[in-house]
Amino acid sequence: MIQQRKILLQESEIPTHWYNIVADMPNKPLPPLHPATKQPIGPEALAPLFPMELIKQEVTQEKWVEIPDEVRNLYSIWRPTPMFRAIGLEKALGTNCKIYYKYEGVSPAGSHKPNTAIPQAYYNYKEGVKKIATETGAGQWGSALSFACKLFGIDCEVFMVKVSYEGKPYRKIMMNTWGAKVHSSPTNLTNAGRSILEQDPNNPGSLGIAISEAVEVAATHDDTKYALGSVLNHVLMHQTVIGLEAMKQLEKAGDYPDIIIAPFGGGSNFAGIAFPFLQNNLIGKQKTRAIAVEPTSCPKLTRGVFRYDFGDTVGMTPLIPMYTLGHNFIPSPIHAGGLRYHGAGAIISQLLKDGIIEADAINQTECFEAGILFSRAEGVIPAPEATHAIAEVIRQVNQANAEGVSKTILFNLCGHGNFDLAAYEQFLNGKLVDFEVSQAEIDASLSQLNTPII
Amino acid sequence: MIQQRKILLQESEIPTHWYNIVADMPNKPLPPLHPATKQPIGPEALAPLFPMELIKQEVTQEKWVEIPDEVRNLYSIWRPTPMFRAIGLEKALGTNCKIYYKYEGVSPAGSHKPNTAIPQAYYNYKEGVKKIATETGAGQWGSALSFACKLFGIDCEVFMVKVSYEGKPYRKIMMNTWGAKVHSSPTNLTNAGRSILEQDPNNPGSLGIAISEAVEVAATHDDTKYALGSVLNHVLMHQTVIGLEAMKQLEKAGDYPDIIIAPFGGGSNFAGIAFPFLQNNLIGKQKTRAIAVEPTSCPKLTRGVFRYDFGDTVGMTPLIPMYTLGHNFIPSPIHAGGLRYHGAGAIISQLLKDGIIEADAINQTECFEAGILFSRAEGVIPAPEATHAIAEVIRQVNQANAEGVSKTILFNLCGHGNFDLAAYEQFLNGKLVDFEVSQAEIDASLSQLNTPII
């Protein structure tokens, strides 16, 4: 007899619909505003950037949105993803809490990002788009979109943050292998990039700058659209396949989570696993805690303010109601590149304001320690982003142990760390440092904002 | 409705026994000989290197060997592995051949190697061994054994071929993350290493040299044993979990392979998928073709001779009856480091001699072209070793198409290429070269042998 670790689903159990939490929210997210007029914008304002079907999904109030068969067919390349009972981790922690994790690293790109890359590429393809421009930080999103575009014969152009372009060459090659063109951002190809380089030729780049460049390319070329890997409503909705599968899997295991934990960058990872369960909270059937875990060096949820802000550095995107550190905030160079973003999306921000979700911030050394422990107990070496969830699991387990209670904890292991081993080496050699953000630094960044206060 | 790609098994379907093909072979493999006396050796001669249970497995004639529950429990970290119907590849090739692949890259180490690393660590643990020494080329085997040793609290010391140690730093960090000590071989730590370095301080290392070093460490330390990742009978047997699962999966799909294809280095990958099916050939029930694919730059199966030879460079191991290029043969620096070994194991060599299996050799540019095609059609970027199988699949499909027939082809996708992207970059930039081996080169290497001729 062997103790069961994995809870698997058949391909026929891939969800047929995405879940749109907006339908169940007591307070709906505030509308985006035009960057110049600061008036609410309608769907048509987004038409230069996105295909119409995605714009509809961005603003829909429908609770369930059907997943096209073509998308489900491609999801089946790696979905349903396995759920694991973390037997090894439970033993290592000496707890009688039950720990489950959903493992999204089995996708070809190694993270949850293809869950939205595939439908985004699909809707662009359906509307005849020839090219998609995007940005990427650590490279998870860029590689996912490169793969998705190749499946539909769409050209893909990726603006990759310079520090990552130079520090993570394998991610770039992965995108090239799937046929994408990758630039080190800031580039000389856009006005946004040129203006940044004029001020500072050695600018290391940031996600905000790279977004400005990709948006500019899409806005100025008729055959080109833009795609974003997080933050926006439709992106978060696409990721709910994670949580919907997880619900079925836990049902098979006869369990339901007391606590759900996921890393937090722009929100897609967290929303993906948590929203389907929060549905039961919102209709009064459950009281699951959902904890978003951000790095202490980029603490928008725990130390930011809730106001309108731009999604990019240059100020080209609509103004979004968000918990933000200010769009000029430059996060320290932690290894979890996917979490280095100044703001949270509109839905997440409203949920946090309304007390429906929680947030915590953790330093990277605590995260890598958790990552090493996990890899030795469970096998997979987690992505730096994913280690934030594991570190929080350990905090919650320790608290439950101290209180003498047993909790059922579910977390999202959003990706493997095969491309991040240089960070593990730093940690193993005792060279990994933490970055503290002073209140003065946050205040200085926020004081530059002249965007509407909520 | 979505078209099914994956055929999954439950953990309860992990095989309960390994299959030992020796029991069904018409001509049994010839015995190993003592390196000095050149007389057949008994099990006791292997006792300094291996725990007794593995020595028993090395020489057993039993058809089925039970897998301990502890091993099945740890196999369940990643097993059963998925089988895929290669819908995307079939479409890309425009064929009505059916192509299936077993994907072993889902293991924590990213290849099939943990299938034998776990039981080897287990039997060492049961016999109180404190440390295991081993060698690794590209790092697949070393990382698998590091992980397995960590699960049982055994120290692991890895001699990694210098060129790979320097060229694949991520593999080394992976081993460190799982707690292993890794040396760049040749080292100053062993007589074998020192003697090599005395002749050539810049020696780039080879698998044969690294084996000499690891064997020496095990032979000269009471608390230390040795472990090998391929070639030996018990290693090949452990890998049969691949083929045994594949049989169940194809049965669920209502299919049976006409052709089985796997890359060939020392034989564990090929044996793993092919042997359980060859059982049906040997008892006269099926006529499946099994093709082992080696690189043209290391062509022991297609251009070597069948005679006794050493497993290592220095000549410390027993003499094994093998197809060999000579133990001093230095393969060209192709990217499929796992296939750069001068000889084949005793079982494989006997099967080839008896016409029960076939072999083919392919150049690395043809292999990488196949790898790129595969990654764009199926998602996974394959390890350079695995691309050899894919290139052969394409050859067989083209032949079937030309003949107007449909074949059912099964191949082993033995690992992902996440750590091998530098090789893909070379290929994409048109800088990948092929290496031809002249007959004079092979003759020169073989002429140095003074080992018994069969």
Side-chain angles (χ1 to χ4, degrees):
Chain A
M1 267 307 291
I2 59 177
Q3 197 186 348
Q4 196 186 357
R5 289 176 196 268
K6 295 189 288 297
I7 305 154
L8 302 176
L9 299 176
Q10 297 299 316
E11 289 170 358
S12 56
E13 296 173 281
I14 292 174
T16 56
H17 293 73
W18 292 298
Y19 169 62
N20 177 22
I21 198 170
V22 172
D24 290 320
M25 288 170 70
N27 301 309
K28 308 298 176 195
L30 298 170
L33 307 181
H34 191 279
T37 67
K38 293 179 181 155
Q39 295 303 308
I41 55 168
E44 70 292 347
L46 298 169
L49 297 185
F50 302 105
M52 199 41 68
E53 192 58 36
L54 289 176
I55 297 173
K56 278 189 202 159
Q57 292 184 1
E58 184 65 19
V59 298
T60 186
Q61 306 276 318
E62 290 297 315
K63 182 161 175 171
W64 297 101
V65 173
E66 190 170 5
I67 306 177
D69 271 357
E70 293 89 334
V71 171
R72 294 180 74 227
N73 249 319
L74 292 170
Y75 274 169
S76 77
I77 291 175
W78 75 99
R79 303 207 73 83
T81 60
M83 166 169 286
F84 285 80
R85 173 79 184 267
I87 296 174
L89 182 62
E90 289 175 16
K91 201 173 144 197
L93 294 175
T95 183
N96 48 30
C97 288
K98 291 192 214 171
I99 307 172
Y100 293 93
Y101 59 94
K102 182 77 168 157
Y103 183 38
E104 290 291 308
V106 294
S107 82
S111 80
H112 63 297
K113 292 292 187 189
N115 295 334
T116 183
I118 299 271
Q120 289 196 53
Y122 168 76
Y123 292 116
N124 275 285
Y125 162 78
K126 290 281 279 184
E127 297 184 24
V129 173
K130 300 288 178 238
K131 188 161 103 176
I132 300 179
T134 196
E135 73 290 331
T136 198
Q140 298 271 24
W141 166 243
S143 45
L145 191 67
S146 303
F147 172 56
C149 283
K150 177 51 71 182
L151 292 173
F152 290 103
I154 298 173
D155 288 344
C156 183
E157 190 166 359
V158 183
F159 291 85
M160 185 171 187
V161 176
K162 186 179 171 190
V163 280
S164 294
Y165 184 94
E166 289 172 353
K168 299 199 178 184
Y170 276 25
R171 274 281 172 201
K172 174 180 88 67
I173 304 169
M174 190 174 216
M175 295 183 243
N176 294 150
T177 300
W178 285 323
K181 199 171 201 172
V182 187
H183 307 293
S184 174
S185 166
T187 73
N188 272 312
L189 303 170
T190 65
N191 289 330
R194 280 186 293 266
S195 78
I196 300 273
L197 288 175
E198 263 166 39
Q199 292 163 40
D200 176 10
N202 297 317
N203 188 301
S206 75
L207 218 38
I209 294 169
I211 294 176
S212 296
E213 293 208 89
V215 166
E216 183 182 325
V217 167
T220 54
H221 292 81
D222 278 349
D223 62 348
T224 303
K225 297 283 183 195
Y226 169 71
L228 189 67
S230 192
V231 179
L232 296 178
N233 300 358
H234 66 276
V235 179
L236 273 52
M237 186 181 74
H238 294 159
Q239 292 291 355
T240 59
V241 290
I242 303 172
L244 292 166
E245 286 181 7
M247 287 186 93
K248 282 190 209 173
Q249 287 164 310
L250 280 182
E251 201 180 313
K252 287 189 191 219
D255 252 324
Y256 196 89
D258 298 307
I259 307 172
I260 297 174
I261 295 169
F264 194 89
S268 80
N269 173 340
F270 173 77
I273 195 150
F275 283 5
F277 292 93
L278 287 177
Q279 177 195 357
N280 286 336
N281 283 23
L282 293 170
I283 60 178
K285 276 174 58 181
Q286 294 284 350
K287 287 184 175 172
T288 296
R289 293 175 60 200
I291 308 173
V293 190
E294 61 187 8
T296 46
S297 54
C298 192
K300 62 230 177 198
L301 297 180
T302 52
R303 297 173 69 193
V305 296
F306 184 51
R307 69 182 284 172
Y308 275 99
D309 197 3
F310 294 105
D312 69 327
T313 300
V314 173
M316 300 177 68
T317 71
L319 288 158
I320 300 169
M322 51 162 68
Y323 275 91
T324 180
L325 297 163
H327 61 270
N328 286 313
F329 183 82
I330 304 282
S332 306
I334 56 166
H335 289 286
L339 310 185
R340 294 178 67 242
Y341 186 66
H342 66 276
I347 294 176
I348 294 282
S349 295
Q350 191 65 49
L351 291 171
L352 183 65
K353 183 160 192 301
D354 292 344
I356 294 165
I357 64 171
E358 303 171 44
D360 198 6
I362 307 187
N363 262 329
Q364 69 174 350
T365 51
E366 183 177 337
C367 293
F368 274 92
E369 200 168 343
I372 297 267
L373 178 73
F374 184 86
S375 77
R376 293 177 177 183
E378 293 286 324
V380 171
I381 300 177
E385 290 81 2
T387 62
H388 287 70
I390 301 166
E392 182 68 34
V393 168
I394 295 173
R395 285 185 176 189
Q396 295 296 329
V397 163
N398 288 342
Q399 195 177 325
N401 289 356
E403 291 169 6
V405 296
S406 166
K407 297 286 184 188
T408 299
I409 302 173
L410 168 65
F411 77 94
N412 198 14
L413 187 67
C414 56
H416 63 65
N418 287 353
F419 298 104
D420 307 285
L421 286 167
Y424 278 88
E425 186 174 41
Q426 256 194 13
F427 178 83
L428 290 167
N429 292 343
K431 289 185 180 156
L432 197 78
V433 294
D434 284 322
F435 301 95
E436 298 300 330
V437 186
S438 69
Q439 195 55 43
E441 210 176 321
I442 293 173
D443 292 345
S445 172
L446 291 173
S447 71
Q448 294 175 43
L449 291 184
N450 60 357
T451 54
I453 290 166
I454 297 164
Chain B
M1 266 307 292
I2 59 176
Q3 195 186 349
Q4 196 186 356
R5 288 175 197 269
K6 295 190 288 297
I7 306 153
L8 302 176
L9 299 176
Q10 297 299 317
E11 288 170 357
S12 56
E13 296 173 282
I14 291 174
T16 56
H17 293 74
W18 292 299
Y19 168 61
N20 177 22
I21 197 170
V22 172
D24 290 319
M25 288 170 70
N27 300 310
K28 307 298 176 195
L30 297 171
L33 306 181
H34 191 279
T37 67
K38 295 180 179 153
Q39 294 302 308
I41 55 169
E44 70 292 346
L46 298 170
L49 297 185
F50 302 104
M52 199 41 69
E53 192 57 37
L54 288 176
I55 296 173
K56 277 188 202 159
Q57 292 184 1
E58 184 64 19
V59 298
T60 185
Q61 306 276 317
E62 290 296 316
K63 183 161 175 171
W64 298 100
V65 173
E66 191 169 6
I67 306 177
D69 271 357
E70 294 89 334
V71 171
R72 295 180 74 228
N73 248 319
L74 293 170
Y75 274 169
S76 77
I77 291 175
W78 75 99
R79 302 207 73 83
T81 59
M83 167 169 287
F84 286 79
R85 173 79 184 267
I87 296 173
L89 182 62
E90 289 175 16
K91 202 172 143 197
L93 294 175
T95 184
N96 48 29
C97 287
K98 293 192 213 169
I99 306 173
Y100 293 93
Y101 59 95
K102 182 78 169 157
Y103 183 38
E104 291 290 308
V106 294
S107 81
S111 80
H112 63 296
K113 293 294 187 188
N115 295 334
T116 183
I118 299 271
Q120 288 196 52
Y122 167 76
Y123 291 117
N124 275 285
Y125 163 78
K126 290 280 280 185
E127 297 183 23
V129 173
K130 300 287 177 240
K131 187 160 103 175
I132 300 178
T134 197
E135 72 289 330
T136 199
Q140 298 271 24
W141 166 245
S143 45
L145 191 68
S146 303
F147 171 56
C149 283
K150 177 52 71 180
L151 292 173
F152 290 103
I154 298 173
D155 289 343
C156 183
E157 189 165 1
V158 183
F159 291 85
M160 186 173 189
V161 176
K162 187 179 172 190
V163 281
S164 294
Y165 183 93
E166 290 171 354
K168 300 201 177 183
Y170 276 25
R171 274 282 170 200
K172 173 181 87 69
I173 305 169
M174 189 173 217
M175 295 183 242
N176 294 150
T177 301
W178 284 323
K181 198 171 203 172
V182 187
H183 307 293
S184 174
S185 166
T187 72
N188 272 312
L189 302 170
T190 64
N191 289 330
R194 280 186 293 266
S195 78
I196 300 273
L197 289 175
E198 264 167 38
Q199 292 163 40
D200 175 10
N202 297 315
N203 188 302
S206 75
L207 218 38
I209 294 170
I211 293 176
S212 297
E213 293 208 89
V215 166
E216 182 182 325
V217 167
T220 54
H221 292 81
D222 277 348
D223 61 349
T224 304
K225 297 284 183 193
Y226 169 71
L228 188 67
S230 191
V231 178
L232 296 177
N233 300 357
H234 67 276
V235 179
L236 273 52
M237 187 181 74
H238 295 160
Q239 292 291 355
T240 59
V241 290
I242 303 173
L244 292 166
E245 285 181 8
M247 287 185 94
K248 282 191 208 171
Q249 287 165 309
L250 280 183
E251 200 179 314
K252 288 190 190 217
D255 253 325
Y256 196 90
D258 298 307
I259 306 172
I260 297 174
I261 295 169
F264 194 89
S268 80
N269 173 340
F270 173 77
I273 195 150
F275 283 6
F277 291 92
L278 287 177
Q279 179 195 355
N280 286 336
N281 283 21
L282 293 170
I283 61 177
K285 275 173 59 182
Q286 294 284 350
K287 287 184 177 173
T288 297
R289 293 175 59 200
I291 307 173
V293 191
E294 62 187 6
T296 46
S297 55
C298 193
K300 62 233 177 196
L301 297 180
T302 53
R303 296 173 69 192
V305 296
F306 184 51
R307 69 183 284 171
Y308 275 99
D309 197 3
F310 294 105
D312 69 327
T313 300
V314 173
M316 299 177 69
T317 71
L319 288 158
I320 300 169
M322 51 162 69
Y323 275 91
T324 180
L325 297 163
H327 62 271
N328 286 314
F329 182 83
I330 305 281
S332 306
I334 56 165
H335 289 285
L339 310 186
R340 294 177 68 240
Y341 186 66
H342 65 277
I347 293 176
I348 294 282
S349 296
Q350 191 65 50
L351 291 171
L352 183 65
K353 183 159 192 298
D354 292 344
I356 294 165
I357 64 172
E358 302 170 45
D360 199 5
I362 307 187
N363 262 330
Q364 69 174 351
T365 50
E366 184 177 338
C367 293
F368 274 92
E369 200 168 341
I372 297 267
L373 177 74
F374 184 86
S375 76
R376 293 177 177 185
E378 294 285 326
V380 171
I381 299 177
E385 290 81 1
T387 62
H388 287 71
I390 301 166
E392 182 68 34
V393 168
I394 295 173
R395 285 186 175 189
Q396 295 296 329
V397 162
N398 289 342
Q399 196 176 326
N401 289 356
E403 292 170 7
V405 296
S406 166
K407 298 287 184 186
T408 299
I409 301 173
L410 168 66
F411 77 94
N412 198 15
L413 187 67
C414 56
H416 62 65
N418 287 353
F419 298 105
D420 307 285
L421 286 166
Y424 278 88
E425 187 174 41
Q426 257 194 12
F427 178 82
L428 290 167
N429 293 342
K431 289 184 181 158
L432 197 78
V433 294
D434 283 322
F435 301 95
E436 298 300 331
V437 185
S438 69
Q439 195 55 44
E441 210 177 321
I442 293 173
D443 291 345
S445 172
L446 290 173
S447 72
Q448 294 174 42
L449 292 184
N450 59 358
T451 54
I453 291 168
I454 298 163

